[in-house]
Every structure is written in C-alpha cells, then in structure tokens.
Amino acid sequence: MQWEVVIGLEVHAQLSTESKIFSGASTAFGAAPNAQACAVDIALPGVLPVLNRGAVECAIKFGLAVGAKVNRRSVFSRKNYFYPDLPKGYQISQFDLPVVSGGELVIFVDGAEKMVRLTRAHLEEDAGKSLHEDFHGKTGIDLNRAGTPLLEIVSEPDMRSSLEAVAYAKELHSLVRYLDICDGNMQEGSFRCDANVSVRRPGAPLGTRREIKNLNSFRFLQQAIEYEIQWQIDTLESGGKIHQATVLFDSDKGETRAMRSKEEAHDYRYFPDPDLLPLEISGEWMAEVRSRLPELPQAKRARYISAFGLSAYDAGVLTSSKELAAYFEEVAEIYPEPKACANWVMGEISGWLNKAGIDIHDCPISSRALAGLLIRIGDGTISGKIAKEVFEAMWNGEGGADDVIESRGFKQISDTGALEKIVDEIIEGNPSQVADYRAGRDKLFAFFVGQAMKATKGQANPAQLSEILKKKLAG
Amino acid sequence: MSISLNEVKRIASLARIAVSDVEAEAARAQLDGIFGLIEEMQAVDAGDIEPMSHAQEIVLRLRNDAVTEVDQHEAFQKGAPEVEAGLYLVPQVIE
C-alpha cells in the first residue's frame, strides 16, 4: 500500500540589516566574541528594546513579494525558555499577530509548476551561540548573534516529496536574495531550514509529524527528509507508532535522531511583550516599499521567455540567482543574441564555475569579456570549437578574446584562396577517397572536412570550407 | 475557574522558581483571587471589540537601521563570574 508524504518547512532568514533588531549593535559576521553584544543584547537590567525600521522593511518587502497580507498592526510577544545563550530568559518573537500572513510561492519540480501556500512570516531575534568544546568542562557563550533580526517564514504542509521541499527552499532562498533582505549564506547560518515531516495513507488525516531542526544545506535537507520518511514508514509498517518529536540530522551518519524530549520544553508561555507597543505599518509606507521592489524571479522568467525567446527551462536556470541573471543580461545587452548568450552562460560559464567551486561574482571572465568572445564567434573570426579554447585561455587570465585570438594565432581562415589551396592539396593527396566519393560514397565528405580541419588546426571557417569542398569534389 | 496546586508547582518550575509546599499553597490562593477577577470581567460582552495587546492606544516608535553601539565587552564582563577568550563561561549545557 502507498504512503503519502507531507512536508512543511520553517525557514529562518537572517535579515541583512546593519544593526540588530532591538539594539544599535552591529550584525557583521565574524567579530571577536561578544564584541558586538551591547547592553540590550546581553539583557542588563533596565535596558529597553527599540525596533529597527530596516528589519520591518525587510518583512514588508517579503510580504509584498509573496502576495501575502502585510498586517497593518502586529504584536511582539515573549517566548519564554531558559538557555544560557538567551540572556533575557525569553526570545522576543511574534505569536498570534505576525507581521505577514498568508502568501504563496510557485516552485518547479520536474518541469511542472506547483504552488506552495505560506502560513505566515514573523519577525524575531536570534539567540547567541554556545560553544561546548575546550573550556575545561564549561560552555562558552558568545552573544554576538543575540538580537540579530530573523524573519521566520512558515509554509503550509503542501509539499509531498523531498524534491518539492528542496525546490521550495531554493525558490525561497533565491527570492530573499533578489529582495536583498538576506545574504542567503547557509554556511554562516543566514538561511536555516526546519522540516516538519509526516506520512499517511492517501486521503487519511495527517500523520504525527517529527520536526528536523537546523538544516543548513539543500543537500542535507534532502537527505534528512528522505531518511526520516523511510524511518517513519518502516516504523509504521512494523506496527510502531510515531511520537511527535524534534530530531536532529547527523550529516556524517546520514541519520535523523530524536533529541531528548523534555515534556515541558514546548510550554513557552507566550504573552505580549510589555516593553514593545504594537507595530503599525501605514499604507504609505507599504506603497513606498512596493515602489522600490526589484523585478522578482517569476516576472523575470516570464520576460526571458517572451522578450528573449528562451525556453522555460533556460529562463528558470538563468533566473535562479539574481547575480547570474544580471550577468546574463549584461552579456545579452552587448551581444543581442539571447539564445547564444544563454547557452554560454549556462554551459561554459556555469560549468567552469562549478568545477572551480566559485560564484558568478568571482567569475574571472566578466560579462563584457564573454560578450567580446561571442562577438568574435558571430562575426566568423573564430569557430565555436576554437571559441572553447579561447574561453579556457580567458578563464586562465590570458586576456580578452581578441588578445587570445591574436597571441595564439586562432584566427579562423576565411580567406577563400587559402582554403582552396588546402582543399586542392587534400584532393591531390587522397586520390582513392576522391574516386570513391565521386562514385557515390557521400559519407566520405566528413573525411575531407576532417582532413581540412587537421590541416588548418581547426581554424577553417566551416561553412566556407564545406562550400569549397563540395565545389571541388564535384570535379 | 480555580487553579490546582500542581499547576502552581508546574508554573514555578517552568519559571525556575523554587517554592515550598506552603508557598505554593499561598500562591495558589492568590492566583485564584486573580482568576476570580478575570472571571468577573469575562461576564462583560466584548464580542465586537478588537482585543488590545496594550492598555494605551499608542504605537511603536522605530529607530533607523544604524550601528550606534561600540564594543564594551570588557566592561560588561567585569561582572561575570567566569570569562575566557572573550566568552562568558557557564556550567556545561548538553542537549
């Protein structure tokens, strides 16, 4: 019998503000321990939180981008629990009145479109970090991260496979970077996913879910969900029961493991924070933010298809990140053959970036330089095959396309006289093949092209060569 | 509505407050009084009134996103029982 998988995701996106959500301390990554933890962040008695306008604006941008309701009025609440990296004994979060309600995100899985509904997105503060090693049996506390603004984005349980969950996470990741509200750096913890996973018989009520915490890469997200699904199915099929639990993913072993469950741990006793009045967002503010929204991935995809004539797949790949899309558009502006530009950006550029493990903004070939190379293919100076060699040389810092073509003598031979001479020599040197060809073995044509390319080190203009060969071989 | 002694003890434990049985009983009686007041207030029909999270109709003041704080961790850490390499040291916490 079949099982249906049900997945909902909670994503914590660290907002890229300069200062913290309730204090004027810096949020820069990598400072010396506690150098960026001010009196508010370490909860000295008597301090009061003051909300950062920039953090609210990030939430508004997000709400508008996903077609959600940006609530005119929202409330900050205290979520109470004790942990050494939470100095106040509570986290300021939002509970029943979040800043953003609803919304949706379109994802693509195996070429098909699917809509994932969002439940809500709310503002909250991050906790500090606990370092458990090397302090003679004690735990070290760094509060630099305490008070960093987070937008917690909660989806409805609309995903039905690990692939859909990953597609959703990637789409969200791309969106927050387009909006410039989160740097998306998963290794530094700027974008963290929790996955709620359950299985059920199709049509049955929702099964009991287990929540996998703190997944900080798309690969781990997929692996953890797949392991968890299999574990739940095995457990149920062998007659066991699933108990609601929080689990951690051990990426070394590839397993999920339940954390020691503390029955009271989830009694957070939320109540409105008396230190913070209700947050009001005016219609004017929302309109002003809306006017500054950039073109979003979905709109960009549609434009690439209609204006550039690209396939949905190509448009999807090119718009997957704001930086890649910008690079492609710069190339296509200088060399207005969008399909050729798309092929090179998705082919050579992406391939070499992958191999080198770097991002597009560290690409050694600028958009202008790539366009320069495409221009030389377009005007017949070099063939597509030679262009790949030129590309490699450009990647290795040998200069622009024209420099490489010049220094390596790659110029395509388009001189009819020179090509005719080469063809004459080949015909002379291969009398039996010529005879066979003339007797009707058309397939031998490729042999002559090969010989000519060999003789010209691949630099013959292919169209011209083919024309001359046909003429001369015809006798 | 009345509150049981067990509930008082549970709330105290969540808040990390040590209470003796005598104190818990005293707290229970006081909390019961408060719940009595709430019950009385609930008799008022407030169905079409939007709930308020705060008693005054004023809204949150916001500050601009700018760094205004400097590093004062050395001063702050003078009051900490134990510090090493800039970190506050606490009894080991293992989840």
Side-chain angles (χ1 to χ4, degrees):
Chain A
M1 219 214 258
Q2 286 285 327
W3 289 98
E4 183 181 43
V5 175
V6 178
I7 305 166
L9 249 55
E10 287 170 26
V11 170
H12 287 88
Q14 212 172 74
L15 301 175
S16 13
T17 53
E18 298 292 318
S19 62
K20 294 191 177 172
I21 185 166
F22 297 116
S23 82
S26 170
T27 55
F29 185 81
N34 291 304
Q36 291 173 177
C38 73
V40 173
D41 306 325
I42 66 170
L44 288 190
V47 298
L48 285 171
V50 187
L51 183 59
N52 182 342
R53 183 187 306 277
V56 179
E57 200 156 297
C58 291
I60 300 175
K61 276 190 188 174
F62 179 78
L64 293 174
V66 296
K69 179 167 175 242
V70 176
N71 291 313
R72 293 295 182 100
R73 189 163 173 281
S74 66
V75 169
F76 286 94
S77 291
R78 292 185 179 181
K79 177 179 178 177
N80 298 280
Y81 66 93
F82 290 101
Y83 206 74
D85 58 23
L86 186 78
K88 292 191 296 298
Y90 59 85
Q91 177 194 27
I92 304 178
S93 181
Q94 294 192 296
F95 188 51
D96 49 354
L97 293 168
V99 63
V100 170
S101 303
E104 61 193 45
L105 203 63
V106 175
I107 61 168
F108 293 88
V109 183
D110 292 334
E113 227 177 70
K114 172 170 178 149
M115 200 192 70
V116 176
R117 292 167 301 153
L118 301 182
T119 313
R120 59 187 274 156
H122 66 253
L123 286 164
E124 62 182 28
E125 58 180 342
D126 209 344
K129 272 185 186 160
S130 301
L131 303 152
H132 296 292
E133 58 286 317
D134 284 345
F135 298 103
H136 14 270
K138 300 219 166 181
T139 293
I141 305 291
D142 177 6
L143 297 173
N144 279 348
R145 201 181 61 182
T148 299
L150 300 176
L151 188 65
E152 180 175 334
I153 304 158
V154 183
S155 84
E156 290 288 304
D158 281 354
M159 286 150 280
R160 293 290 173 270
S161 68
S162 62
L163 286 182
E164 287 186 6
V166 170
Y168 166 82
K170 283 188 173 168
E171 191 65 38
L172 198 59
H173 185 256
S174 159
L175 180 65
V176 295
R177 291 173 66 223
Y178 264 91
L179 293 170
D180 211 11
I181 61 173
C182 170
D183 67 17
N185 189 324
M186 296 178 84
Q187 264 165 350
E188 289 175 7
S190 301
F191 189 90
R192 322 194 278 268
C193 303
D194 301 341
N196 284 297
V197 180
S198 66
V199 299
R200 65 171 169 189
R201 296 299 189 190
L206 285 177
T208 305
R209 67 190 158 86
R210 302 213 308 167
E211 182 181 17
I212 316 168
K213 278 279 188 196
N214 267 330
L215 296 161
N216 65 354
S217 87
F218 297 126
R219 193 161 54 89
F220 291 163
L221 176 65
Q222 182 167 355
Q223 286 174 0
I225 291 176
E226 275 165 14
Y227 180 89
E228 179 65 22
I229 291 169
Q230 201 50 53
W231 183 88
Q232 290 191 14
I233 291 175
D234 290 348
T235 303
L236 290 169
E237 286 186 344
S238 59
K241 267 185 86 173
I242 306 292
H243 299 280
Q244 190 162 342
T246 301
V247 303
L248 291 177
F249 179 62
D250 181 334
S251 55
D252 293 328
K253 290 191 184 141
E255 310 176 340
T256 52
R257 195 164 13 91
M259 290 166 74
R260 193 151 43 111
S261 69
K262 286 176 285 176
E263 222 166 278
E264 296 171 334
H266 294 296
D267 193 341
Y268 291 127
R269 294 153 295 136
Y270 282 95
F271 65 91
D273 191 328
D275 288 342
L276 290 157
L277 291 161
L279 165 65
E280 275 202 2
I281 296 171
S282 68
E284 296 82 67
W285 190 9
M286 245 188 276
E288 195 270 322
V289 173
R290 189 190 293 277
S291 72
R292 284 188 285 116
L293 278 187
E295 184 183 30
L296 300 175
Q298 228 182 318
K300 214 183 259 293
R301 264 196 302 266
R303 180 165 64 85
Y304 282 15
I305 294 168
S306 65
F308 291 151
L310 298 181
S311 69
Y313 175 80
D314 290 0
V317 173
L318 291 170
T319 55
S320 62
S321 90
K322 191 179 174 179
E323 292 77 14
L324 190 68
Y327 184 95
F328 162 73
E329 286 188 39
E330 285 158 21
V331 179
E333 196 176 324
I334 306 173
Y335 185 67
E337 294 286 343
K339 185 64 197 158
C341 298
N343 287 343
W344 277 82
V345 172
M346 291 164 46
E348 296 304 295
I349 291 282
S350 298
W352 282 74
L353 288 174
N354 260 343
K355 228 187 311 173
I358 54 176
D359 284 330
I360 186 78
H361 52 82
D362 295 320
C363 182
I365 300 180
S366 70
S367 52
R368 177 172 287 277
L370 180 67
L373 174 63
L374 299 188
I375 288 170
R376 289 295 165 252
I377 304 171
D379 69 10
T381 307
I382 51 169
S383 66
K385 198 164 158 237
I386 293 287
K388 297 204 171 167
E389 280 183 54
V390 177
F391 181 93
E392 185 171 350
M394 289 166 72
W395 184 278
N396 294 324
E398 291 182 32
D402 287 342
D403 303 327
V404 175
I405 293 167
E406 183 67 38
S407 67
R408 295 211 176 179
F410 272 155
K411 223 171 188 130
Q412 185 160 285
I413 303 171
S414 304
D415 174 346
T416 312
L419 286 176
E420 282 184 339
K421 191 165 162 268
I422 291 162
V423 170
D424 286 340
E425 279 164 19
I426 291 167
I427 289 178
E428 220 177 277
N430 300 282
S432 67
Q433 282 88 344
V434 172
D436 284 356
Y437 177 81
R438 286 180 178 158
R441 276 190 64 196
D442 291 349
K443 279 188 184 161
L444 274 170
F445 190 74
F447 163 79
F448 294 109
V449 173
Q451 292 294 309
M453 281 299 179
K454 206 166 132 193
T456 59
K457 297 196 183 81
Q459 283 163 249
N461 178 319
Q464 239 175 328
L465 172 67
S466 157
E467 202 180 307
I468 293 169
L469 267 173
K470 272 188 191 141
K471 195 178 74 194
K472 299 245 172 198
L473 282 169
Chain B
M1 186 183 155
S2 67
I3 186 166
S4 72
L5 199 61
N6 273 342
E7 283 171 310
V8 172
K9 285 184 174 170
R10 189 173 122 77
I11 294 163
S13 143
L14 283 170
R16 305 289 188 276
I17 298 170
V19 288
S20 65
D21 285 352
V22 178
E23 286 168 325
E25 180 48 43
R28 194 197 62 78
Q30 287 170 354
L31 286 169
D32 254 353
I34 294 169
F35 280 115
L37 280 176
I38 292 172
E39 217 159 295
E40 247 174 78
M41 286 191 279
Q42 274 172 342
V44 180
D45 178 13
D48 53 355
I49 299 171
E50 198 188 328
M52 296 168 76
S53 56
H54 290 75
Q56 288 158 302
E57 262 314 312
I58 44 176
V59 297
L60 195 54
R61 186 174 69 86
L62 302 177
R63 61 176 181 83
N64 288 329
D65 178 24
V67 176
T68 53
E69 294 288 339
V70 292
D71 179 8
Q72 297 188 73
H73 80 277
E74 280 179 20
F76 293 150
Q77 291 186 336
K78 279 189 186 144
E82 210 176 337
V83 171
E84 191 177 310
L87 297 161
Y88 295 90
L89 294 193
V90 299
Q92 193 156 46
V93 214
I94 293 289
E95 185 65 51

